[in-house]
Amino acid sequence: MNKIGIFGGTFNPLHLGHINSVVNVAEKLSLDRVFVVPAFQNPNKDPVEGPSPEQRLEMAETGFRPYDYVAQVDDIEIQRKGNSYTVDTLKLYAENYKADELHLIVGADAFYEFDTWKDFEEILSLCNIIVTSRPGMQLPFSVKDIPSGIQPFVALFDRNYVQLTTGRHIEFVRVEDVDVSATEIRKKLRNGLRVEKYLTFEVENFIKEKQLYKPLDSQIRNYEEFTMFCAKKLWSKKAIGLRGFDLSSMSAPTEYTLIASGTSSKHASSIAEVVMAEIKDEYGVLPIALEGLREGRWVLLDYGSLIIHLFYDFVRQEYGLENLWKEGKEIDLSEIKNT
Ligand code: ATP
């Protein structure tokens, strides 16, 4: 019988946490081969500025090349395009392997959200699941620690091993800690900070060569103008309480900031979506980081030297962010508001 691992991810960028996980699991569980599957688009992640799916694929191939005795990158999701659902990928693997041969490898963070994945119940029949430790996260100790959607499928919970009613099992595997996330690396790269301890030499070179994760200054040359452009867009989408601050005299993480609200969380999300699309049209960029878009309570669009905060107005009152910027200079937006 074959013992096959499948390791999916966005790999934006591929870092040592990923590689360490694959190599450790393959060794500990004596896997014959691990297929590394870069997602075209993770349906649970909002698209941010960065490499194309094809470049992420190439980066994964570059990073895993030295480990080709065990790992092999599969472009199946990149070719398929659209939202990358693990269940669809597993169904294709099921054509070549028996369910008991397949082992889906996920980090603890991904596992705790597992019951939000499309057709997760079916996944519990299609393959076994290997959950790896991730710094700052506990592995489950008992049934009540695992996602509630999976609990009805538990036949037996025995420390690191969970027998499922589907015939498959879940195994918890402690891997060497590599305390890093792709989000953190992207932030560091955009700010020109060093990242070599998180990446392989080959991946670091690939990033340099392709000029990935550069600050947005080459597309947004004048941030003062850009801030006014965004303010106009927010105003035209009926954002309320629009204010802008120049924070360059403060030790703030950004130079400019705009804050506004929607009358509901839905309104805040929809303003954010439309404004993002218009910025993309005009400047060709997406935010380098994006938070809270789905919930719409506090949406943060990070464009490097400009950060836009969009609140559901009720939530905005709770935080009073403007108080933090008292030492900055308020930008006069009266001209925009009169148009
Ligand atoms: P992001 O910060 O953008 O969310 P990420 O670093 O979590 O990215 P993904 O591409 O989303 O990277 O992760 C793919 C898989 O690798 C997931 O199952 C995730 O749990 C696992 N993983 C990521 N980083 C680590 C790490 N440092 N240690 C162990 N597993 C990790």
Side-chain angles (χ1 to χ4, degrees), residues 7-13 15-18 20-21 42 45 105-111 132-135 175-184 186:
F7 184 65
T10 312
F11 310 129
N12 184 19
H15 55 67
L16 290 176
H18 300 131
N20 172 64
S21 223
N42 177 334
K45 285 187 183 177
I105 305 168
V106 296
D109 57 319
F111 178 66
T132 63
S133 56
R134 194 167 172 175
V175 295
E176 209 181 290
D177 277 356
V178 179
D179 194 0
V180 70
S181 75
T183 308
E184 198 182 316
R186 287 198 298 275

Coordinates of all heavy atoms in Angstrom, one line a residue, residues 7-13 15-18 20-21 42 45 105-111 132-135 175-184 186, ligand 1:
F7 N -0.4 18.2 0.6 CA -0.2 19.4 1.4 C -0.6 20.6 0.6 O 0.1 21.0 -0.4 CB 1.2 19.5 1.8 CG 1.6 20.6 2.7 CD1 1.0 20.7 4.0 CD2 2.5 21.6 2.3 CE1 1.3 21.8 4.9 CE2 2.8 22.7 3.2 CZ 2.2 22.7 4.4
G8 N -1.8 21.2 0.9 CA -2.2 22.4 0.1 C -1.9 23.7 0.8 O -1.6 23.7 2.0
G9 N -1.9 24.8 0.1 CA -1.6 26.1 0.7 C -1.5 27.2 -0.4 O -1.6 26.9 -1.6
T10 N -1.5 28.4 0.1 CA -1.3 29.5 -0.8 C 0.1 29.7 -1.1 O 0.5 30.2 -2.2 CB -2.0 30.8 -0.2 OG1 -3.3 30.4 0.3 CG2 -2.1 31.9 -1.2
F11 N 1.0 29.5 -0.2 CA 2.4 29.6 -0.3 C 2.8 31.0 -0.9 O 3.4 31.1 -1.9 CB 3.0 28.5 -1.2 CG 2.5 27.1 -0.7 CD1 2.0 26.2 -1.6 CD2 2.7 26.8 0.6 CE1 1.5 25.0 -1.1 CE2 2.2 25.5 1.1 CZ 1.7 24.6 0.2
N12 N 2.3 32.0 -0.2 CA 2.5 33.4 -0.6 C 3.3 34.2 0.4 O 2.7 35.0 1.1 CB 1.1 34.0 -0.8 CG 1.1 35.4 -1.4 OD1 2.1 35.8 -1.9 ND2 0.0 36.1 -1.2
P13 N 4.6 33.9 0.6 CA 5.4 33.0 -0.1 C 5.6 31.7 0.6 O 5.2 31.5 1.7 CB 6.8 33.7 -0.1 CG 6.8 34.4 1.2 CD 5.4 34.8 1.5
H15 N 7.5 29.3 2.8 CA 8.5 29.5 3.8 C 8.9 28.2 4.5 O 8.4 27.1 4.2 CB 8.0 30.6 4.8 CG 6.7 30.3 5.4 ND1 6.5 29.2 6.3 CD2 5.5 30.9 5.3 CE1 5.3 29.2 6.8 NE2 4.6 30.2 6.2
L16 N 9.9 28.4 5.4 CA 10.5 27.2 6.1 C 9.5 26.5 6.9 O 9.6 25.3 7.2 CB 11.7 27.6 6.9 CG 12.9 28.0 6.0 CD1 14.0 28.5 6.9 CD2 13.4 26.8 5.2
G17 N 8.4 27.2 7.4 CA 7.4 26.5 8.2 C 6.7 25.4 7.3 O 6.4 24.3 7.8
H18 N 6.5 25.7 6.1 CA 5.8 24.8 5.1 C 6.7 23.6 4.9 O 6.3 22.4 5.0 CB 5.5 25.5 3.8 CG 4.6 26.6 3.8 ND1 4.9 27.8 3.2 CD2 3.4 26.8 4.4 CE1 3.9 28.7 3.5 NE2 3.0 28.1 4.2
N20 N 9.4 22.5 6.5 CA 9.6 21.8 7.7 C 8.4 20.8 8.0 O 8.6 19.6 8.4 CB 9.8 22.8 8.9 CG 9.9 22.2 10.2 OD1 10.8 21.4 10.5 ND2 8.9 22.5 11.1
S21 N 7.2 21.3 7.8 CA 6.0 20.5 8.1 C 6.0 19.2 7.2 O 5.8 18.1 7.7 CB 4.8 21.3 7.8 OG 3.9 21.2 8.7
N42 N -7.4 30.5 -2.6 CA -8.0 30.0 -1.4 C -9.4 30.7 -1.1 O -9.4 31.9 -0.9 CB -7.1 30.2 -0.2 CG -7.6 29.6 1.1 OD1 -8.8 29.6 1.3 ND2 -6.7 29.3 2.0
K45 N -9.5 33.1 1.8 CA -8.6 34.2 1.9 C -8.9 35.3 0.9 O -9.3 34.9 -0.3 CB -7.1 33.8 1.7 CG -6.6 33.0 2.9 CD -5.1 32.7 2.7 CE -4.6 31.9 3.9 NZ -3.2 31.5 3.8
I105 N -2.5 16.8 4.8 CA -1.7 17.4 5.8 C -2.1 18.9 6.0 O -2.1 19.6 5.1 CB -0.2 17.4 5.5 CG1 0.3 15.9 5.2 CG2 0.7 18.0 6.6 CD1 1.7 15.8 4.5
V106 N -2.6 19.2 7.2 CA -3.0 20.6 7.5 C -2.4 21.1 8.8 O -2.2 20.3 9.7 CB -4.5 20.8 7.6 CG1 -5.2 20.5 6.2 CG2 -5.2 19.9 8.7
G107 N -2.1 22.3 8.9 CA -1.6 22.9 10.1 C -2.8 23.1 11.1 O -3.9 23.1 10.7
A108 N -2.4 23.2 12.4 CA -3.5 23.3 13.4 C -4.5 24.5 13.1 O -5.7 24.3 13.3 CB -2.9 23.5 14.8
D109 N -3.9 25.6 12.6 CA -4.8 26.8 12.3 C -5.8 26.4 11.3 O -7.0 26.7 11.4 CB -4.0 28.0 11.9 CG -3.1 27.7 10.7 OD1 -2.5 26.6 10.6 OD2 -3.1 28.5 9.8
A110 N -5.4 25.7 10.3 CA -6.3 25.3 9.2 C -7.3 24.3 9.7 O -8.5 24.3 9.4 CB -5.6 24.8 8.0
F111 N -6.9 23.4 10.6 CA -7.7 22.3 11.1 C -8.9 22.9 11.9 O -10.0 22.5 11.8 CB -6.9 21.3 12.0 CG -7.8 20.3 12.6 CD1 -8.4 19.3 11.8 CD2 -7.9 20.2 13.9 CE1 -9.2 18.3 12.3 CE2 -8.7 19.2 14.5 CZ -9.3 18.3 13.7
T132 N -0.8 19.1 11.9 CA 0.6 19.4 12.5 C 0.5 20.5 13.5 O -0.4 21.4 13.3 CB 1.6 19.8 11.4 OG1 1.1 21.0 10.8 CG2 1.7 18.7 10.4
S133 N 1.4 20.5 14.4 CA 1.4 21.6 15.4 C 1.9 22.9 14.7 O 2.5 22.8 13.7 CB 2.4 21.3 16.5 OG 3.6 21.0 16.0
R134 N 1.5 24.0 15.3 CA 2.0 25.3 14.8 C 2.2 26.2 16.0 O 1.3 26.2 16.9 CB 0.9 25.9 13.8 CG 1.4 27.0 13.0 CD 0.6 27.4 11.9 NE 1.2 28.7 11.4 CZ 0.8 29.3 10.3 NH1 -0.2 28.8 9.6 NH2 1.4 30.4 9.9
P135 N 3.3 26.9 16.0 CA 3.6 27.7 17.2 C 2.5 28.5 17.7 O 1.8 29.1 16.8 CB 4.8 28.5 16.8 CG 5.5 27.7 15.7 CD 4.4 27.0 15.0
V175 N 5.4 18.8 15.1 CA 6.6 19.0 14.2 C 7.4 20.1 14.9 O 6.9 20.9 15.8 CB 6.2 19.5 12.8 CG1 5.5 18.4 12.0 CG2 5.4 20.8 12.8
E176 N 8.7 20.2 14.5 CA 9.6 21.2 15.1 C 9.0 22.5 14.8 O 8.4 22.8 13.7 CB 10.9 21.0 14.2 CG 12.1 21.4 14.9 CD 13.2 21.2 13.8 OE1 13.5 20.0 13.5 OE2 13.7 22.2 13.3
D177 N 9.1 23.4 15.8 CA 8.5 24.7 15.7 C 9.2 25.6 14.8 O 10.4 25.8 14.9 CB 8.5 25.4 17.1 CG 7.3 25.0 17.9 OD1 6.4 24.2 17.4 OD2 7.2 25.4 19.1
V178 N 8.5 26.2 13.8 CA 9.1 27.3 13.0 C 8.1 28.4 13.1 O 7.0 28.3 12.5 CB 9.3 26.8 11.5 CG1 9.9 28.0 10.7 CG2 10.2 25.6 11.4
D179 N 8.4 29.4 13.9 CA 7.4 30.4 14.2 C 7.4 31.5 13.1 O 8.1 32.5 13.3 CB 7.8 31.0 15.6 CG 6.6 31.8 16.1 OD1 5.6 31.9 15.4 OD2 6.7 32.3 17.2
V180 N 6.6 31.3 12.1 CA 6.5 32.2 11.0 C 5.2 32.0 10.3 O 4.7 30.9 10.2 CB 7.7 32.1 10.1 CG1 7.7 30.8 9.3 CG2 7.9 33.3 9.2
S181 N 4.7 33.1 9.7 CA 3.6 33.0 8.8 C 3.9 33.8 7.5 O 4.7 34.7 7.5 CB 2.3 33.6 9.4 OG 2.4 35.0 9.4
A182 N 3.2 33.4 6.4 CA 3.4 34.1 5.2 C 3.1 35.6 5.3 O 3.7 36.5 4.7 CB 2.6 33.4 4.1
T183 N 2.0 35.9 6.0 CA 1.5 37.3 6.2 C 2.7 38.1 6.8 O 2.9 39.2 6.3 CB 0.3 37.3 7.2 OG1 -0.6 36.4 6.7 CG2 -0.3 38.7 7.3
E184 N 3.3 37.5 7.8 CA 4.4 38.3 8.5 C 5.6 38.5 7.5 O 6.2 39.6 7.5 CB 4.8 37.4 9.6 CG 5.6 38.0 10.7 CD 6.0 36.9 11.7 OE1 5.1 36.1 12.1 OE2 7.2 36.8 12.1
R186 N 5.4 38.7 4.2 CA 5.1 39.7 3.2 C 5.2 41.1 3.8 O 5.8 42.0 3.1 CB 3.6 39.5 2.8 CG 3.3 38.3 1.9 CD 2.0 38.4 1.2 NE 0.9 38.5 2.1 CZ 0.2 37.4 2.6 NH1 0.7 36.2 2.3 NH2 -0.8 37.6 3.4
Ligands
ATP1 P1 -0.9 33.3 5.7 O1 -0.1 33.9 6.8 O2 -0.9 34.1 4.4 O3 -2.2 32.9 6.2 P2 0.5 30.7 6.0 O4 1.9 31.0 6.4 O5 -0.5 30.2 7.0 O6 -0.1 32.0 5.2 P3 -0.6 28.9 3.9 O7 -0.1 28.8 2.6 O8 -1.9 29.4 4.2 O9 0.6 29.7 4.8 O10 -0.4 27.5 4.7 C1 -0.4 26.3 4.1 C2 -0.4 25.2 5.2 O11 0.8 25.3 5.9 C3 -1.5 25.3 6.2 O12 -2.0 24.0 6.5 C4 -0.8 25.9 7.4 O13 -1.5 25.6 8.6 C5 0.6 25.4 7.3 N1 1.6 26.2 7.9 C6 1.9 27.5 7.6 N2 2.8 28.0 8.3 C7 3.2 27.0 9.2 C8 4.2 27.0 10.3 N3 5.0 28.0 10.6 N4 4.3 25.8 10.9 C9 3.5 24.7 10.6 N5 2.5 24.8 9.6 C10 2.4 25.9 8.9

